[in-house]
Amino acid sequence: MAKKLKIERQKKKVKWNLFSNLDEVFDNDLLGKTYTEIFSNKKLNIDGCVKVNEYTDTYIKLKLQRGNLIICGSEMQIVFFENNLITVKGELSSIEFCV
C-alpha cells in the first residue's frame, strides 16, 4: 500500500513593509533639521540654511538652524538661495560643520 503524504501548509511569511510610514518618518524626524547633498567636488545643496554670514570666492560661511557650515574651495558662487535652500558651486576642497 502506498503511504499518503501529509502536506502541511506553512503560514505565510509577513514581509516587512519598510516604506509604509516613510512620510511620517521624514515629517517628524527631519522637521527643523538641515539636509545636505554633495555632488562630487563641484556642487552643494543645503536645505536648512538661515543666512549667509561670510561670502568670498575662496570660502562661504553659512548659518544653519543648529550651527555653522564653512565651505572652502576656489571660484565659489552662490547660485540659488530661497526658502532656506541654498546651492553653492565651485571647486570644493573642504566642508566643516561647527556647533
Side-chain angles (χ1 to χ4, degrees):
M1 278 197 178
K3 291 183 179 179
K4 290 185 179 181
L5 295 175
K6 195 174 193 180
I7 299 173
E8 294 181 20
R9 290 189 179 187
Q10 294 180 353
K11 291 182 182 178
K12 291 183 179 179
K13 294 181 181 179
V14 178
K15 295 181 181 178
W16 289 2
N17 196 353
L18 297 175
F19 302 107
S20 65
N21 298 329
L22 198 58
D23 292 334
E24 293 175 14
V25 170
F26 281 115
D27 289 343
N28 294 333
D29 289 347
L30 295 180
L31 190 61
K33 295 185 180 178
T34 302
Y35 179 75
T36 305
E37 293 178 325
I38 302 171
F39 301 94
S40 181
N41 66 334
K42 303 288 185 193
K43 182 179 172 183
L44 179 69
N45 288 340
I46 303 163
D47 189 5
C49 179
V50 178
K51 71 175 190 174
V52 178
N53 285 338
E54 296 180 43
Y55 175 36
T56 67
D57 63 340
T58 57
Y59 84 95
I60 299 173
K61 185 175 181 181
L62 304 174
K63 172 74 174 137
L64 305 178
Q65 294 171 351
R66 294 185 183 183
N68 293 307
L69 189 71
I70 300 171
I71 308 161
C72 297
S74 61
E75 301 175 11
M76 305 291 287
Q77 297 177 9
I78 296 177
V79 179
F80 179 80
F81 187 24
E82 187 176 309
N83 296 331
N84 293 341
L85 177 64
I86 190 166
T87 301
V88 176
K89 284 188 177 180
E91 291 286 329
L92 307 176
S93 60
S94 70
I95 300 170
E96 181 179 347
F97 180 74
C98 306
V99 179

